[in-house]
Amino acid sequence: MTVSKFQMYASPQAVTRVERPKPVAAIASAGALLVLTGLAVWAMDRQLTTMLNQMDAETLRQANATLSQFVDQQRRHLLSEVNVLAEDTRIRSTVITPELDEATITDVLTDLQKSSGASVLAVLDVKGKVRSVVGADEMRNLDLGSSSLVKAALEKPSTYVWTFTNKVRVLGVAPIRTGDDVAALFMMGFELGEATFSGIEKTLGAHGAVVVGDKVVSKVANNPQILSAFQLAAELGEGEQRLIRTDRDYLATASPVSNLASAGKTVWLVPRYQHVERVGLLKIATWAPAIFMCITFLVVLWLGLRKANQEPA
């Protein structure tokens, strides 16, 4: 059968259009993966932050423990030193005279200070009054008869951590005997000052200071920012830990100078997240999947929108 041209053009076959699905599913899947990745990364970052906080707290603990060990070493050293020096003939021959000659004792103490390296040396009478002292003018003529340190030293060498208005010292006192009687008392001490806190700061990165009332009496740092943080931390109770916010955040804690200290407390500051350089690459690696997933989502979104715009209406 022959088909005419009229039939060919007059009865065309209807063309069926196939509707392509919109790229909504791909975009939704990419978005869901982005959210899940973000949550996982956030949880990992929180874990790292917790670890950094624990490292800061551990630094404070180590700083305080280091100071306590130093004080204990000083006390043991003082116990042996004052016991030996109390028997030194230069001290005994001067002290056992009927009247204590302050000028002569001062000369002897000055010589002993040079050889011992002590920050303070003193001779007290049996009632506890300071009769001669070098290295601590604030103790001159001070009556320490009521102190537990002097009372204990009448029996045997004793040590104590003493907080003065502007200094903290580890003191040792031993009796100077003539036979069975105590003729006088010999005192020797070392200051807990910049040298002590500087060594801890260089080793651990923690700033330390002794605070009496609201006054910082012994410190290393002269940075106004750190001093301001010390003042804010001075109100901390012993054993309390708190975040101090100045121009920079510090984790701070307070503790007794010693269980033997008569007053004052030690305040420690550590810059918040000071150990971040140890985990810096890890924090970058933690957020990398979220960044890559975000880029992937944007690419999928762009391709989907582009395809949707190219399709004929």
Side-chain angles (χ1 to χ4, degrees), residues 14-247:
V15 178
T16 303
R17 293 184 57 194
V18 179
E19 292 289 340
R20 295 183 180 180
K22 299 294 183 180
V24 176
I27 296 175
S29 298
L33 286 175
L34 176 61
V35 171
L36 291 175
T37 303
L39 291 174
V41 168
W42 176 80
M44 293 176 63
D45 186 72
R46 292 291 297 174
Q47 285 291 104
L48 285 175
T49 300
T50 300
M51 183 176 70
L52 287 171
N53 286 328
Q54 291 173 345
M55 293 173 70
D56 289 343
E58 178 62 17
T59 298
L60 293 177
R61 188 198 67 79
Q62 290 179 358
N64 194 57
T66 301
L67 180 63
S68 297
Q69 292 173 1
F70 176 79
V71 171
D72 289 341
Q73 291 174 357
Q74 289 284 60
R75 290 181 58 219
R76 289 192 294 268
H77 173 68
L78 277 172
L79 279 176
S80 60
E81 284 289 307
V82 295
N83 196 33
V84 171
L85 291 177
E87 299 295 326
D88 189 285
T89 53
R90 290 171 293 177
I91 292 291
R92 286 175 55 81
S93 60
T94 307
V95 168
I96 61 177
T97 56
E99 292 293 334
L100 292 176
D101 182 12
E102 182 178 347
T104 303
I105 296 175
T106 299
D107 291 339
V108 173
L109 293 179
T110 301
D111 291 338
L112 288 176
Q113 186 183 35
K114 294 177 181 178
S115 59
S116 66
S119 61
V120 56
L121 292 172
V123 170
L124 292 68
D125 62 24
V126 292
K127 295 182 179 179
K129 185 176 181 178
V130 178
R131 300 302 302 270
S132 181
V133 60
V134 293
D137 288 339
E138 68 274 15
M139 294 180 63
R140 194 172 305 278
N141 296 320
L142 191 64
D143 189 354
L144 304 176
S146 60
S147 70
S148 57
L149 174 62
V150 171
K151 292 178 180 179
L154 291 171
E155 301 294 331
K156 61 180 181 180
S158 301
T159 60
Y160 203 78
V161 180
W162 209 300
T163 306
F164 294 85
T165 55
N166 60 347
K167 294 182 185 296
V168 179
R169 296 188 178 97
V170 184
L171 298 177
V173 181
I176 302 174
R177 298 183 183 276
T178 54
D180 294 333
D181 298 327
V182 177
L185 296 169
F186 176 74
M187 175 182 286
M188 181 180 186
F190 294 91
E191 184 177 338
L192 292 180
E194 291 188 7
T196 305
F197 289 109
S198 177
I200 297 175
E201 181 177 316
K202 290 178 180 178
T203 303
L204 299 174
H207 308 292
V210 175
V211 177
V212 178
D214 58 352
K215 183 180 180 182
V216 179
V217 300
S218 183
K219 65 184 186 308
V220 177
N222 292 315
N223 187 318
Q225 177 180 316
I226 299 177
L227 293 177
S228 176
F230 274 131
Q231 293 293 342
L232 293 174
E235 62 185 27
L236 290 176
E238 293 179 359
E240 186 179 355
Q241 194 173 101
R242 186 192 304 170
L243 186 63
I244 301 297
R245 297 183 180 277
T246 57
D247 293 340

